[in-house]
Amino acid sequence: MIVFFFFALIAVAVGYLWRHENRRIERELRQSFARQTFQTELGPISGAELKVVKMHQERSGLRRRDPVLELAFRGDPYGGDAFWYCVGPGPSYFLAIAMLQAGSGPVDVQWVVRPLTEARMRGALVGDRKATALAFGNAVEG
């Protein structure tokens, strides 16, 4: 009986640490995005001023239970990337790709930002009615 409680306590502790680490990494990722500068027709704006309409996690061959932690362990040959589709004033459209390395230490995030035309943004969002509506104000696909 004592052994059961011991293992249950360990399982709860591991679950708590896993969740805490996930939230820490996600917070660092969002803060890093907010600090990025994007060039729009109206001039430069920060990532905090953009509307992220879709986040896509490119899954790796190794299936971890948590996509944020999967992204974080890029030293792993099966790492993945995060693709954030964003809308700014003008309107302007962007694809921001997060390259993240993390562990128990500091989180290192680098972003690759690509401007998109309206046509490319629509193409990227085909099949996702919610993201299309957020980006363009209606659910027209095409």
Side-chain angles (χ1 to χ4, degrees):
M1 189 73 156
I2 292 174
V3 173
F4 171 76
F5 286 121
F6 176 72
F7 284 117
L9 181 62
I10 288 176
V12 168
V14 167
Y16 172 78
L17 291 174
W18 184 5
R19 185 176 175 109
H20 175 72
E21 185 69 6
N22 180 359
R23 287 183 177 172
R24 180 183 73 87
I25 292 169
E26 186 173 356
R27 182 176 56 249
E28 291 287 333
L29 185 63
R30 290 183 184 278
Q31 289 172 352
S32 173
F33 178 79
R35 290 189 300 266
Q36 298 302 304
T37 302
F38 296 79
Q39 295 298 325
T40 70
E41 295 175 4
L42 304 176
I45 64 169
S46 72
E49 298 174 79
L50 290 179
K51 177 171 44 171
V52 178
V53 298
K54 181 176 182 174
M55 292 182 190
H56 174 72
Q57 170 73 38
E58 187 65 35
R59 291 306 210 135
S60 70
L62 178 61
R63 300 288 187 206
R64 290 197 175 102
R65 291 185 179 182
D66 192 308
V68 173
L69 289 180
E70 182 176 328
L71 176 64
F73 292 100
R74 290 194 54 82
D76 184 306
Y78 302 103
D81 294 319
F83 300 87
W84 292 21
Y85 295 90
C86 315
V87 178
S92 51
Y93 308 98
F94 299 94
L95 169 60
I97 304 168
M99 295 177 290
L100 176 74
Q101 291 189 1
S104 59
V107 177
D108 179 33
V109 183
Q110 294 183 357
W111 290 92
V112 175
V113 177
R114 297 287 182 248
L116 298 175
T117 63
E118 180 180 341
R120 287 192 181 260
M121 183 66 145
R122 285 188 183 277
L125 300 180
V126 165
D128 189 332
R129 291 179 185 266
K130 182 178 178 182
T132 301
L134 287 170
F136 302 105
N138 58 33
V140 175
E141 293 184 5

